[in-house]
């Protein structure tokens, strides 16, 4: 998701080995509150990942980081051009390399070595991920490899590096664009050009996004997700003439802008709590609004003496903000590794929070050590001076030569061990996670049955349950993994199951089946694993199938924060309607999680039989319902015409 970049946030230095810049405005004064805003951004992202389903919109922290980076990088480049008449591209890119590469290299070596020690699912597709980390192309490699941001079937170790790729691509291209932009003399025209680039990116996201479809392409794409960076650049151009002197600002602006900034921060908080990633609004302007709210918040903190800036500059927030890059880098790979190392650990309730707490504790320690011993030394002194110190700076009053030799040997052994562990991990890719194996097996079973003729039921043969030829099953990857069990239990069943499918897609799926004449009178729906559900989707689907059809809803077993709400909604819905029944998959499998893949979601062959069994039980309950009685059945006279 994001690369919180403190090094980009300040006054340029003329000496290559000078300390990294700090947060400075156009006039050279520090902008209060930016570290606090970084802290907000990284905290909501961490909560989004480490407490699945609790902070449903926490992903927007990435867009907050994008705006901050766009603002600081553009301000830095414009200030250098104004003060020196040029932009030293080589020096700029070298500083970016100092800021980003050391911590990233340590992360990749350490996490790949840990993944090799754990083995299994965390090794899947690791080569592509490391290549993306090394070339800052993670987002495009994931798109080309059809890897979904929203797919939990394979635990991608470095999934969060997609945003680092977007930012690094920005760092490579944007200084060149600034060289062209400064040739435009009129400031309003500069603003219009940069604003048009941002608007084009936001519009591209809205137009390319297909409601109900996987949003990975528009979310990962540099072209469709750069409007936050452009928005920050707009603020940098706009603020070129702003002053750090309080008297330059009117009394009204000094109290109004911080107040608006606080409202902007409140809006970001509300969106982080209330805006789930599967909502179409997110890609049809929602993230663009997040960028605007971030601009308002930065402006409110920019004003000299701003109370908002002081509030965001509290020491705990500054500490987190200064280390936000490391916290962002480490939190997701550590969480994936902890989950992989404890595959049977309960992931809901207090135990689930404890799992996230373990990952957070490791992340905090790793980020603090990285900041102290890797990021800061190289950022201040450069690669060469830092490595010289590492290999020659091991003092000892008693035995300086022996201490130095021992230190050098220890350093070499650690680096070599991490390199061997990484290489071994890359060569140990199993190709598919255990969940993907189950899903592929289910898909193969479906494909095989499609090539066989549908069995014709025997006329007038009484049966307590409908045959598979009467059933349409619509579901997600859990149903897909259970396809073999469903086909064995209901020969001839039609299964339409897709990985990462959401309940919001159900009405359009049923509408398409009705139009094609392929919808059968009994519909099994197994959706809700991948996000919260809305009752309106069920109402729309039931309205389409009509009262002559019967509906079975399969509830959800997944270590996600939203599953309790999903299951409660499905249960209430089934209780409300006579022709709707609940298949209680959650309770049936809860005591047998060993029959699921390590993600505690996707069933193996035995689990698939249990999945089919709870559906069979639900159909049995529907079959045993007494027929509806008319007025004459109660001995009542018909209503006169």
């Amino acid at each position: 998701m994001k690369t919180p970049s403190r090094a980009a946030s300040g006054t340029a230095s003329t000496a290559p080995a000078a300390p990294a810049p700090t947060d400075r405005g156009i006039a050279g004064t520090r902008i209060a509150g930016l570290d606090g805003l970084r802290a907000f951004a990284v905290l909501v992202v961490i909560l989004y990942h480490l407490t699945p389903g609790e902070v449903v919109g926490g992903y927007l922290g990435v867009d907050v980081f994008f705006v901050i980076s766009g603002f600081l990088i553009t301000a830095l480049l414009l200030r250098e051009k104004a003060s020196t008449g040029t932009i030293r591209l080589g020096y700029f890119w070298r500083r970016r390399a100092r800021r980003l590469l050391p911590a990233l290299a340590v992360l990749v070596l350490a996490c790949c070595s840990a993944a090799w020690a754990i083995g299994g699912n965390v090794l899947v597709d690791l080569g592509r991920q490391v290549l993306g980390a090394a070339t800052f192309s993670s987002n495009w490699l994931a798109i080309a490899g059809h890897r979904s941001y929203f797919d939990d079937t394979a635990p991608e170790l470095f999934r969060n590096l997609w945003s680092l790729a977007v930012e690094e691509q920005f760092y490579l291209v944007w200084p060149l664009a600034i060289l062209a932009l400064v040739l435009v003399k009129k400031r309003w025209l500069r603003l219009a050009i940069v604003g048009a680039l941002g608007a084009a990116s936001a519009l591209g996201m809205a137009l390319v996004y297909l409601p109900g479809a996987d949003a990975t392409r528009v979310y990962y794409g540099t072209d469709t997700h750069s409007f936050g960076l452009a928005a920050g650049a707009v603020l940098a151009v706009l603020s070129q003439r702003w002053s750090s002197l309080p008297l330059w600002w009117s009394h009204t602006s000094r109290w109004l802008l911080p107040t608006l900034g606080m409202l902007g921060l409140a809006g970001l908080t509300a969106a982080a709590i209330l805006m789930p990633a599967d909502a179409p609004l997110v890609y049809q302007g929602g993230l663009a609004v997040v960028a605007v709210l971030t601009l308002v918040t930065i402006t409110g903190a920019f004003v000299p003496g701003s109370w908002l800036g002081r509030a965001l500059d509290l020491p705990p927030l500054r500490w987190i903000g200064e280390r936000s890059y490391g916290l962002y880098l480490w939190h997701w790979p550590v969480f994936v590794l902890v989950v992989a190392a404890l595959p049977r650990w309960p992931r809901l309730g207090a135990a689930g929070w404890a799992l996230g707490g373990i990952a957070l504790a490791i992340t905090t320690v790793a980020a603090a050590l990285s900041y102290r011993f890797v990021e800061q030394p190289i950022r201040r002194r450069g690669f060469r001076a830092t490595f010289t110190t590492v290999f020659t700076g091991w003092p000892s009053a008693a035995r300086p030569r022996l201490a130095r030799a021992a230190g050098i040997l220890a350093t070499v052994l650690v680096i070599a061990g991490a390199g061997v562990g990484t290489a071994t991990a890359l060569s140990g890719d199993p190709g598919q996670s255990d969940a993907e194996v189950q899903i592929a097996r289910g898909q193969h079973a479906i494909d095989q049955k499609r090539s066989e003729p549908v069995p014709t039921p025997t006329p007038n043969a009484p049966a307590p349950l409908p045959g598979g030829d009467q059933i349409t099953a619509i579901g997600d990857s859990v149903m897909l993994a259970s396809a073999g069990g469903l086909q064995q239990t209901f020969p001839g069943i039609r299964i339409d199951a897709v990985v990462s499918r959401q309940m919001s897609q159900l009405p359009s799926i049923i509408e398409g089946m009705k139009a094609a004449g392929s919808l059968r009178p009994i519909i099994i729906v197994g959706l809700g694993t991948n996000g919260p559900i809305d009752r309106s989707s069920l109402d729309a689907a039931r309205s389409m199938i009509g009262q002559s059809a019967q509906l079975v809803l399969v509830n959800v077993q997944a270590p996600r924060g939203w599953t309790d709400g999903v299951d409660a909604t499905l249960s209430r819905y089934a209780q409300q309607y006579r022709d709707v029944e609940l298949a209680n998959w959650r309770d049936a499998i809860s005591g047998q999680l060993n029959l699921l893949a390590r993600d505690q979601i996707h069933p193996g062959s035995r689990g698939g039989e249990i999945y089919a069994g709870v559906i069979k039980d639900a159909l049995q309950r529907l079959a045993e319902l007494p027929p509806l009685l008319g007025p004459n059945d109660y001995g009542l006279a018909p209503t006169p015409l």
Side-chain angles (χ1 to χ4, degrees):
M1 289 185 180
K2 153 61 209 136
T3 310
S5 174
R6 183 169 172 80
S9 54
T11 306
S13 171
T14 57
T22 56
D23 292 337
R24 301 268 173 190
I26 302 304
T29 57
R30 182 180 180 278
I31 303 173
L34 286 188
D35 276 328
L37 192 55
R38 286 193 188 98
F40 166 83
V42 78
L43 286 174
V44 296
V45 170
I46 288 175
L47 289 172
Y48 175 68
H49 285 142
L50 269 55
T51 61
E54 300 299 330
V55 184
V56 297
Y59 59 87
L60 63 77
V62 171
D63 292 85
V64 174
F65 280 129
F66 281 169
V67 176
I68 294 173
S69 290
F71 169 61
L72 292 173
I73 291 298
T74 305
L76 183 68
L77 294 169
L78 290 176
R79 184 167 59 251
E80 181 180 4
K81 183 66 172 68
S83 61
T84 68
T86 187
I87 295 176
R88 294 169 297 169
L89 296 176
Y91 180 45
F92 171 82
W93 287 325
R94 188 162 63 250
R95 274 188 334 203
R96 292 290 82 218
R98 282 187 195 173
R99 180 67 183 99
L100 300 176
L101 295 181
L104 180 63
V106 171
L107 171 86
V108 170
L109 290 172
C111 290
C112 284
S113 298
W116 165 65
I118 294 170
N121 294 340
V122 291
L123 300 177
V124 173
D125 208 20
L126 193 57
R128 188 264 303 168
Q129 297 175 60
V130 171
L131 176 62
T135 60
F136 296 104
S137 59
S138 297
N139 59 330
W140 291 114
L141 290 178
I143 291 171
H146 304 288
R147 286 292 180 182
S148 172
Y149 177 75
F150 309 94
D151 181 11
D152 290 329
T153 57
E156 288 185 89
L157 193 59
F158 300 119
R159 179 177 292 179
N160 59 325
L161 298 187
W162 76 268
S163 66
L164 184 64
V166 171
E167 289 219 19
E168 187 62 23
Q169 292 158 30
F170 172 77
Y171 296 149
L172 289 173
V173 174
W174 192 240
L176 302 174
I178 291 291
L179 289 175
L181 188 67
V182 295
L183 299 177
V184 179
K185 301 303 180 184
K186 296 184 182 297
R187 191 163 63 118
W188 69 265
L189 187 54
R190 291 183 185 179
L191 285 169
I193 292 172
V194 179
L197 291 174
S201 178
L203 184 62
M205 173 176 277
L207 293 177
V208 175
Y209 170 69
L210 297 175
D214 189 287
T216 298
R217 168 60 184 87
V218 296
Y219 192 67
Y220 276 178
T222 309
D223 52 346
T224 52
H225 206 157
S226 292
F227 47 83
L229 294 160
V234 166
L235 182 61
V237 174
L238 187 64
S239 64
Q240 274 186 286
R241 297 183 183 178
W242 291 356
S243 172
S244 61
L245 300 175
L247 293 178
W248 187 87
W249 300 79
S250 69
H251 175 73
T252 301
S253 63
R254 276 184 282 149
W255 71 262
L256 178 61
L257 290 177
T259 302
L260 291 175
M262 186 64 213
L263 293 175
L265 185 59
L268 291 173
T269 304
I273 297 171
L274 301 173
M275 193 168 70
D278 63 325
L281 173 66
V282 173
Y283 312 100
Q284 296 173 336
L287 290 178
V289 172
V290 167
V292 173
L293 292 174
T294 306
L295 286 186
V296 173
T297 305
I298 294 174
T299 304
F302 192 105
V303 178
S306 166
W307 59 264
L308 176 61
R310 291 194 301 272
L312 288 171
D313 247 2
L314 292 173
L317 293 178
R318 287 192 64 180
W319 190 92
I320 295 171
E322 288 169 351
R323 293 155 184 80
S324 56
Y325 176 49
L327 290 168
Y328 179 80
L329 282 184
W330 284 91
H331 83 280
W332 175 254
V334 166
F335 184 59
V336 170
L337 291 169
V338 168
V339 170
L342 302 170
R344 300 307 172 194
W345 186 290
R347 300 183 200 172
L348 293 174
W353 281 82
L355 197 65
I358 294 170
L360 179 59
I362 297 172
T363 294
T364 303
V365 172
L369 292 175
S370 173
Y371 182 80
R372 171 66 178 82
F373 296 106
V374 178
E375 298 170 50
Q376 287 295 87
I378 294 178
R379 182 175 167 188
R380 288 173 173 164
R381 306 185 61 190
F383 290 101
R384 183 179 302 174
T386 301
F387 283 116
T388 298
T389 300
V390 168
F391 286 106
T392 63
W394 296 86
S396 172
R399 299 177 179 178
R401 292 183 179 179
L402 180 60
R404 184 180 299 115
I408 293 173
L409 178 61
T411 302
V412 170
L413 289 176
V414 169
I415 295 174
V420 171
T422 299
T424 308
L426 294 177
S427 63
D429 183 353
Q432 287 183 309
S433 69
D434 54 355
E436 288 176 321
V437 169
Q438 303 296 352
I439 292 169
R441 185 178 293 131
Q443 185 64 61
H444 177 69
I446 292 173
D447 294 340
Q448 274 192 323
K449 289 296 181 182
R450 283 176 180 165
S451 63
E452 298 175 4
V454 176
T456 303
T458 305
N460 303 320
L465 289 177
D469 60 304
Q470 299 295 303
I471 303 173
T472 295
I474 302 170
D476 52 28
S477 57
V478 176
M479 181 179 285
L480 191 54
S482 307
L486 289 172
Q487 290 173 336
Q488 182 179 354
T489 306
F490 306 106
I493 186 174
R494 181 176 186 236
I495 302 173
D496 186 327
V498 176
V499 174
S500 298
R501 180 176 277 170
Q502 302 272 357
M503 183 68 81
S504 58
Q505 299 170 253
L506 180 61
S508 61
I509 294 169
I510 289 179
E511 183 179 22
M513 289 182 175
K514 284 191 69 176
S518 60
L519 189 66
R520 297 175 180 180
I522 297 174
I523 296 96
I524 314 294
V525 175
L527 297 169
T529 307
N530 299 301
I533 67 173
D534 189 337
R535 179 190 168 93
S536 62
S537 299
L538 292 169
D539 288 334
R542 186 170 180 273
S543 175
M544 289 177 183
I545 64 178
Q547 295 185 356
S548 60
Q550 292 180 321
L551 183 62
V552 173
L553 303 175
V554 186
N555 65 8
V556 174
Q557 155 58 39
R560 300 290 182 267
W562 58 75
T563 54
D564 286 343
V566 168
D567 289 345
T569 299
L570 295 175
S571 180
R572 286 194 298 267
Y573 201 85
Q575 290 171 1
Q576 183 176 353
Y577 297 104
R578 187 175 186 273
D579 55 353
V580 179
E581 187 57 65
L582 182 74
N584 197 349
W585 160 244
R586 178 173 183 163
D587 285 356
I589 200 64
S590 60
Q592 307 177 75
L593 296 183
N594 60 305
L595 300 180
L596 303 179
R598 290 191 177 189
D599 60 6
Q600 297 185 7
I601 298 175
H602 298 91
S605 57
R606 175 61 185 137
E609 293 173 6
I610 295 174
Y611 186 91
V614 297
I615 293 175
K616 182 178 180 180
D617 292 342
L619 290 174
Q620 187 69 53
R621 291 192 294 273
L622 282 175
E624 292 173 357
L625 286 174
L628 287 172
L629 300 178
N632 288 336
D633 296 313
Y634 292 97
L636 301 178
T639 304
L641 298 177

